[in-house]
Amino acid sequence: MFNEPGDNPVAAPSESLDARVDPLGEAPVASPVDPRAEALVYALRRDLLVAEYSEERLLSLVSESARRACLQGYTAAAAAELNARIEAADSVDPADSVAPAIANPADPAGNANLSVPADPAATIALLFFAGEPVSEARLAAVFSQLGVAGLKTLGLVTETGSGYFRAALSLTPLQMRGKTPGETVNTWFISDLDDHLRQKAARQDHVMGIGGATRALLKQLPRGSFGSTSADNSPSQPEPFTSALDLGTGCGVIAVQLAQFSECVVATDTSDRALKLARLNLRLNAISSVTLLQGSLFQPVAGQRFDLIASNPPFVITPGGSDYEYRSSGFSGDGLVQQLLTGVPEHLRPGGEFVSLINWEVHWGSDRFARPASWVERLAGVHTWLIAREVMAPLDYAMMWARDGGSAQHSSEFDTRVTAALRDFQERKTVAVVMGSVRIIAAETKHSHRAATITGQLAAGDVGDELSRIHRLAVQLENLRLQQFLGHHFITQGSPQEHRRYRPGQESPNKLWLSVASPFAQQFEVDPLVAAAVGASDGDLTLGQIAAALAELFSVPAAECYAALHTEFLELVWAGVLVTEIQQ
């Protein structure tokens, strides 16, 4: 949760959050910064490493259909598959049922050789993914270093009776990008129970785990800096960041990823509970380069500047700004987004970048970008790229977030939430809500602003570096005179496809369009002149040379050809279809 201006919260470093209770605040346990708790977290890390419990392993243990059903609240299919694997492992001869000892010399807690039962990852998945109770004996065998007592002390399990335990917190594996291109690292995150395990309304101070929004933001983060927007040459590989900020860290997922990209990271949140869980997760993933601070928006880092700022803020628009802490800001309407965007410029270093997911309102009589455009157009020294991903009617938006909070449809609680939200929207004459994202680069050239609606699917892989390069290149090209622009050698990238539609018997197509799959799936209708120019863009000729030849071929005035290709090629650069020799 963020605070309204005037609340004057006191920022505090993470060390001051040393409450001697567990992250849930329900039972006395060791503090996450207590040496005893730290030893328990490292013991948990060793057990997970030895069990080889990773996102990739989880995907191999449970079928896609069962995983999908599980995330929709039906866990029986996933539980059946996992129990079958466990039973198969148990049927192996006892002499072969123990995995070979594994050394973990990189683990900061030690390098002991550890032995575990066969297929322990299936038991961990049964407990924390399928939400099934597991016997004390099996837990003791799988978590041989931490032990059942350690699981209870960290608040990870609760006893159900008859010697069985159920997950009290979620423990989710996630494969992240590593420090070098192509490298991946396995990480784990403790959070409050995910929706499919909780199966009831969340508590007001609920701390989210790894949701769809978090995964979308992770995919869109650049791995390093690609230089300034005024450079004649941009590096093909990014330079590591010196400093990064995770604004509204929650349980710390984004902060752990930023620690792979930056020498030092600051992560902030207003929630005590979130910061305690974030601290646990930093220890669990052996991260020491992240500093946790408490406070709202940029208040904890006043006067500081960063190479990268990432934020998955509590952007959900709720009546009076009051709702669950993980998604509601305390601001009215989209006031959080306005405060967030206007505070960015004074916290970015030259060439620095800001990436965030945001929601904003569309008011009666204005277009979908009017509100955020009015905020960023007044900002000096930045290049802003607003992307609208989905536009929702107020009713659809209110119902979606009522369900997300655990309110059962047709219940009185659900009706109350939706009715209150609709009344709140009506007071501001809100006719739609836009769900999207924003990228801001600290400028060394004149200010610029772009807004685009892109509804196509985000590419399967990580696209953060690609989006950063696109943004920087497009800004450079927009600042060129026509003749300078025509002097560049353009090259297609991302394997764009050309499509043609014919009527039966026609020799010429009645429609031409280009499609690209990354960074977003998009289609662009083009005329034959533009299609021919894109097809000729292999880097050998300048755009001016291509345009001159096509003007003669298509019998159009050269000036018209130059102007048309200038406009169309710039749009295709923004789409990721074309790059220039600047980025080769």
Side-chain angles (χ1 to χ4, degrees), residues 11-14 17 266-270 275 291-295 300-301 304:
S14 60
L17 302 176
V266 176
T268 70
D269 210 293
T270 61
L275 288 169
T291 299
L292 296 175
L293 299 177
Q294 186 176 24
V301 293
Q304 298 183 50

Side-chain angles (χ1 to χ4, degrees), residues 232-253:
D232 292 331
N233 245 325
S234 296
S236 58
Q237 293 298 329
E239 299 292 330
F241 296 118
T242 300
S243 62
L245 170 64
D246 175 13
L247 200 67
T249 191
C251 72
V253 179

Side-chain angles (χ1 to χ4, degrees), residues 256-288:
V256 170
Q257 178 64 94
L258 293 182
Q260 300 294 325
F261 303 156
S262 179
E263 294 177 11
C264 60
V265 178
V266 176
T268 70
D269 210 293
T270 61
S271 166
D272 287 346
R273 184 183 179 83
L275 288 169
K276 290 170 185 175
L277 285 169
R279 187 182 300 107
L280 275 175
N281 290 323
L282 293 176
R283 302 294 192 274
L284 181 58
N285 291 290
I287 300 296
S288 59

Side-chain angles (χ1 to χ4, degrees), residues 222-231 233-235 238-244 305-309 344-355 380-384 439-446 464-465 467-469 471-473 475-476:
R223 189 163 38 84
S225 174
F226 287 91
S228 73
T229 55
S230 61
N233 245 325
S234 296
E239 299 292 330
F241 296 118
T242 300
S243 62
R305 292 181 181 268
F306 301 88
D307 298 316
L308 175 66
I309 301 174
V344 167
E346 63 188 85
H347 293 283
L348 282 178
R349 290 177 174 171
E353 192 163 358
F354 170 79
V355 184
V382 294
H383 301 297
T384 305
R439 307 182 77 88
I440 298 177
I441 297 175
E444 295 178 4
T445 56
K446 64 180 182 180
D465 290 351
L467 286 167
S468 183
R469 285 195 295 260
H471 194 180
R472 292 171 191 274
L473 175 61
V475 167
Q476 290 180 50

Side-chain angles (χ1 to χ4, degrees), residues 171-194:
L171 175 61
T172 307
L174 179 66
Q175 188 178 78
M176 285 185 166
R177 286 178 282 170
K179 295 183 181 295
T180 59
E183 179 189 6
T184 59
V185 293
N186 292 321
T187 60
W188 308 272
F189 292 93
I190 300 169
S191 67
D192 280 325
L193 286 175
D194 294 332

Side-chain angles (χ1 to χ4, degrees), residues 19 31 61 73 95 120 125 141 149 166 174 208 238 256 276 321 330 339 384 415 483 502 504 516 564 577 579:
S31 162
L61 288 169
R166 186 183 295 276
L174 179 66
M208 275 283 291
V256 170
K276 290 170 185 175
Q339 292 293 320
T384 305
D415 292 345
Q483 290 305 314
Y502 294 83
V516 64
V577 176
V579 296

Side-chain angles (χ1 to χ4, degrees), residues 78-92:
E81 292 181 7
L82 291 166
N83 274 314
R85 288 182 176 274
I86 292 169
E87 290 172 8
D90 288 348
S91 67
V92 177

